[in-house]
Amino acid sequence: MKNKYTGNLEHNTVERSFTDYIYFSYIPKKVENYILKFHQSSTLLKHPESKHQSIDDNVIPWLEFAQYTDITPNYYEEKISLDINNQTDVIGSCREFEKERLFNFIELSELLNDAFIRDEKKGSKKYGSAGALYPIVPLLLLFKDHNGLSQGVYVYDGVERSLLKIKSWSNDEAFYIKKYVCHEAVDMPESCIAYAADIRRAIIKYHIRGYRHALIEVGAMSQVLKNSLHKLKNDVGEVSWSGFNDNELTKKCGLNVRLCPIVMLQWFGHTNSQEK
């Protein structure tokens, strides 16, 4: 009699074999080349000893005017004020954390399940995905042993509600990755979510448009994680992070840069008391 693990293994093997067959038989090679070339053009590569900033110094004065503002038209026919029943407190991103305060296993379980779990009956998740393909893989990166979990890389399985460890890191590896590969992230928490895109799954149905859908899905997932985090407890925060060497981080996480590159990080942890 087959157990649940054997059934999942057979299903995954058939799915991946079928995916490979469809991909190589029906997807134009130019689509794959275009997507991979475009993706690589958006990646960063920064040497650990480099003092070069990814943002040009001439852009910084403009950011002072552009950040935290809305795009509104210079001309409009009429302005209608909306009813305001109550003032909503918007929780923004956080960049100052208490690194030594770690989530316990129950809190971490509740956070990941609340954000990324798949409905058992409908197969849906809390965020939308074009074609119900869900090509974005949420990875939990731990840079320090975390209440029973050793440092390294974990894939979250929303069906089994489990973590699958795919890569272990030594103390030196974890420090190097956080400080240099993630561009001076040593002050960030000891945990983050890395969003990796399964390129083939994303583009088989919608081709180039599917890659756009995948990136939109990353945004939806990060918002869901933020909501779940603040529902969990009060003294927490998160921040989306674009500053990392894309290909090196993907390899350090045990993934293939052509098949499943990491496209964004989201750090989360406890906030400093003075911010409250």
Side-chain angles (χ1 to χ4, degrees):
M1 182 176 179
K2 296 180 180 178
N3 57 37
K4 194 171 185 180
Y5 174 78
T6 303
N8 288 337
L9 181 61
E10 289 183 355
H11 173 81
N12 291 339
T13 301
V14 171
E15 179 187 336
R16 287 167 185 163
S17 299
F18 195 21
T19 297
D20 289 343
Y21 170 74
I22 295 295
Y23 190 83
F24 290 114
S25 299
Y26 299 104
I27 302 301
K29 194 66 177 176
K30 64 179 182 180
V31 172
E32 179 188 51
N33 291 338
Y34 179 88
I35 289 295
L36 293 177
K37 184 177 180 180
F38 173 76
H39 176 79
Q40 286 299 317
S41 69
S42 69
T43 61
L44 295 177
L45 176 61
K46 182 179 178 181
H47 190 274
E49 304 301 326
S50 174
K51 301 299 181 181
H52 176 72
Q53 300 295 322
S54 56
I55 301 176
D56 192 287
D57 290 338
N58 295 315
V59 176
I60 295 178
W62 171 80
L63 291 175
E64 296 179 0
F65 289 94
Q67 292 182 138
Y68 304 106
T69 62
D70 292 330
I71 299 174
T72 54
N74 294 327
Y75 169 80
Y76 46 87
E77 295 183 358
E78 185 180 4
K79 182 177 180 178
I80 301 96
S81 297
L82 301 175
D83 292 334
I84 302 177
N85 296 323
N86 61 324
Q87 182 68 35
T88 302
D89 293 327
V90 177
I91 302 176
S93 299
C94 175
R95 288 181 177 269
E96 295 185 13
F97 296 89
E98 292 185 358
K99 290 176 50 183
E100 300 307 315
R101 291 183 61 194
L102 305 180
F103 290 89
N104 61 46
F105 186 77
I106 294 177
E107 291 173 333
L108 196 59
S109 299
E110 185 175 341
L111 173 63
L112 295 176
N113 285 330
D114 190 71
F116 302 133
I117 197 170
R118 184 186 291 274
D119 184 89
E120 292 182 355
K121 295 181 179 179
K122 297 180 292 184
S124 300
K125 298 187 179 184
K126 284 191 172 181
Y127 48 89
S129 181
L133 295 173
Y134 299 104
I136 303 302
V137 181
L139 308 174
L140 174 65
L141 309 188
L142 297 182
F143 295 88
K144 188 175 183 179
D145 290 350
H146 228 76
N147 291 291
L149 297 175
S150 58
Q151 59 195 19
V153 185
Y154 298 80
V155 172
Y156 175 75
D157 184 341
V159 176
E160 297 291 334
R161 305 184 188 188
S162 60
L163 289 173
L164 311 174
K165 190 169 189 180
I166 61 172
K167 184 75 172 179
S168 295
W169 290 333
S170 66
N171 291 334
D172 289 341
E173 284 179 311
F175 176 81
Y176 172 81
I177 293 168
K178 194 174 184 185
K179 180 173 175 59
Y180 296 113
V181 181
C182 295
H183 298 182
E184 299 296 335
V186 290
D187 292 329
M188 290 295 105
E190 302 297 350
S191 56
C192 76
I193 297 295
Y195 297 98
D198 186 322
I199 297 295
R200 292 181 177 179
R201 178 182 283 259
I203 69 176
I204 282 181
K205 184 175 182 180
Y206 297 111
H207 292 194
I208 295 172
R209 195 179 190 86
Y211 183 67
R212 185 174 75 182
H213 292 323
L215 298 184
I216 293 172
E217 186 171 319
V218 172
M221 293 176 71
S222 65
Q223 184 61 49
V224 167
L225 181 73
K226 178 176 182 177
N227 294 344
S228 297
L229 179 68
H230 290 291
K231 185 174 74 172
L232 179 67
K233 55 198 309 188
N234 293 323
D235 55 344
V236 292
E238 55 72 46
V239 61
S240 296
W241 196 265
S242 182
F244 58 92
N245 290 351
D246 299 63
N247 291 341
E248 186 174 4
L249 180 60
T250 298
K251 291 179 180 178
K252 293 292 186 182
C253 290
L255 302 178
N256 187 307
V257 297
R258 289 178 60 88
L259 300 180
C260 204
I262 293 173
V263 296
M264 195 180 83
L265 300 179
Q266 189 175 16
W267 301 93
F268 63 94
H270 294 89
T271 57
N272 285 326
S273 57
Q274 66 256 26
E275 289 192 346
K276 296 298 180 181

